Amino acid sequence: MNNKDVIKILDKLISCKSVTPYDDQCQEYIANFLKDLGFKIEFKKYDDVTNLIARYGTEKPVLAYVGHTDVVPTGDINKWETDPFKLTDKNSKLYGRGTSDMKGGIACMMHAIQEHLSDNKNFIGSIIVILTSDEEGPAINGIKKLVESGDLTPYEIDMCIVGEPSCKKTIGDTIKNGRRGSLSGRLRIQGIQGHIAYPQNAMNPIHAFSPVLNRLISQKYDEGNQYFPPTSFQISNINSGVGTTNIIPGELSMDFNFRYSTETTKNELQNKVEDIMKESGLDYNVTWSHSGDPFLTERKDLLDACVKSVKEELGMTAEISTDGGTSDGRFMAKICNQVIEFGLINKSIHKINEHTTEADLDAVTKVYKSMLNRLLPRQ
Ligand SMILES: [Zn+2]
C-alpha cells in the first residue's frame, strides 16, 4: 500500500474550508473520486446542508461507511502553528482542521475502497458511502434527515461503520459498539417569595426541594450491563434567589441530564422523576428534551471483523466501549442493527492545532482494508 495516496487525498480534503454546515466542494471531490471507481453518485440537499450517497454494487450484504465532511470552526487562528486549511507536515505530525475529526478517517476509507477494487472489481456484496456536512452543527439536515425521510431505506443497509475518531491513545485501542441515550430536563419549583424575617408568610423552594434533590441524586436508575455503565443522573445548573440577602426566593429551577443505558428507557426515567416529584407534594413542572436513544451492536459479523482486523493488522486487543458523546451512529442504528465506530485518535479533535500522523492514517487504512476483505470477500 502506498501511504502517500492517503495523504494526497487528505491534503485535498483539508484544503476545503468546510466549516459546518458548508461543504466547500469537499463532497464533490469525494464523489468524483468514487465515480472513477465505478460508484453511482447521488446528492441530497436539505436547506444549506449537502449530503452524498455513493453506491457500488447492488448485492447483499450492504456495508455502509458513514461520516461527515464538515469541521468545527478553527477558533483563534493566531493560536494555530500552521494554516488550519493546509495539511502541514511538522515534527512528524500532520496538522489541519479535520485531520482527525474526520477527514482523516474519510481519506483512509477512500483509499481502502480504492485498493479493494483495484485488482478485482468482483466481490460479494455492495458498498455505500454516506457523507453529510451537518454533523458538527445542529445535526438536523444530515444523517438524521436521511434516515427519517426514508431516503436510506431502499438501500437495505446491513452493516455500518461510522469513521469517527474512536481511539484514545493508540490506533486500535477502542471500538465503539453503541452509545448511551441522552435525556435532559428542566425542573421548576414554585415557592412563595417573602421577607427573610417572616418565613411563616413565605415558602422557601430551596428548603422544600433539598430532600427531594437528595432522592433524585441517590436514586439507582439501573445497574448498567456488560456494555453500559449504570445510568447517570447529573445536574448542570441550579438557580434560585434574587441576589439580595433579605428575600426568600419564590422559585427554583434546575437543569439535569441522564446518560442512560439499554437497561432503561426514556419513558421509565421520566416516570421515575415524575413519581418522586409527585410524592414530594411540591408545586412543580418539568420540561423534557430527548436527544437520542441508546443503541448497542452485539458481536456479530461487523464487530467481529473489526476486532479481528485490529488484532491481525496492529497486534492490538481493542476495548469495546459505549462511552463518550453522541454521534450519527444513533440515527443509523434506527435502520441498521449493526453499527460500530472506528477511526483515528480523538485526543486533538475540536482543538487548536488538531493533528494526526502518517503512521496512524496507515494503521486505520489497514484495518478498513482488512475489514472490507473479511466482510465483502473478493470472488
Ligand atoms: Zn466527528
Side-chain angles (χ1 to χ4, degrees), residues 52-122:
L52 165 69
I53 306 171
R55 175 181 201 144
Y56 187 96
T58 51
E59 310 272 295
K60 287 277 203 181
V62 180
L63 175 67
Y65 180 83
V66 169
H68 61 89
T69 48
D70 59 329
V71 295
V72 291
T74 58
D76 184 354
I77 203 143
N78 296 316
K79 289 190 178 151
W80 280 77
E81 284 174 34
T82 64
D83 177 350
F85 296 107
K86 188 178 187 311
L87 186 69
T88 310
D89 190 342
K90 197 178 164 188
N91 307 322
S92 324
K93 287 184 181 129
L94 294 165
Y95 290 89
R97 175 55 89 220
T99 42
S100 290
D101 186 10
M102 58 164 284
K103 290 176 173 178
I106 294 173
C108 294
M109 182 49 79
M110 287 164 71
H111 190 57
I113 291 172
Q114 186 179 36
E115 293 266 299
H116 194 66
L117 293 175
S118 64
D119 31 88
N120 186 349
K121 285 186 184 292
N122 295 316

Side-chain angles (χ1 to χ4, degrees), residues 32-45:
N32 286 330
F33 180 98
L34 293 173
K35 204 170 156 187
D36 286 346
L37 297 178
F39 276 74
K40 275 180 72 181
I41 306 297
E42 197 185 343
F43 283 101
K44 293 267 179 195
K45 257 198 101 134

Side-chain angles (χ1 to χ4, degrees), residues 68 101-102 135-136 164-165 349-350:
H68 61 89
D101 186 10
M102 58 164 284
E135 198 276 339
E136 301 289 12
E164 291 280 6
I349 65 172
H350 294 207

Side-chain angles (χ1 to χ4, degrees), residues 15 24 39 87 91 101-102 114 116 130 145 176 183 200 207 223 229 239 249-250 264 289 294 311 339-340 352 378:
S15 74
D24 196 26
F39 276 74
L87 186 69
N91 307 322
D101 186 10
M102 58 164 284
Q114 186 179 36
H116 194 66
I130 305 163
K145 177 94 29 111
K176 294 202 169 153
L183 173 69
Q200 67 275 21
H207 294 202
E223 303 278 347
N239 293 299
T264 188
S289 71
K311 183 83 198 163
V339 179
I340 62 162
I352 303 270
R378 286 182 270 194

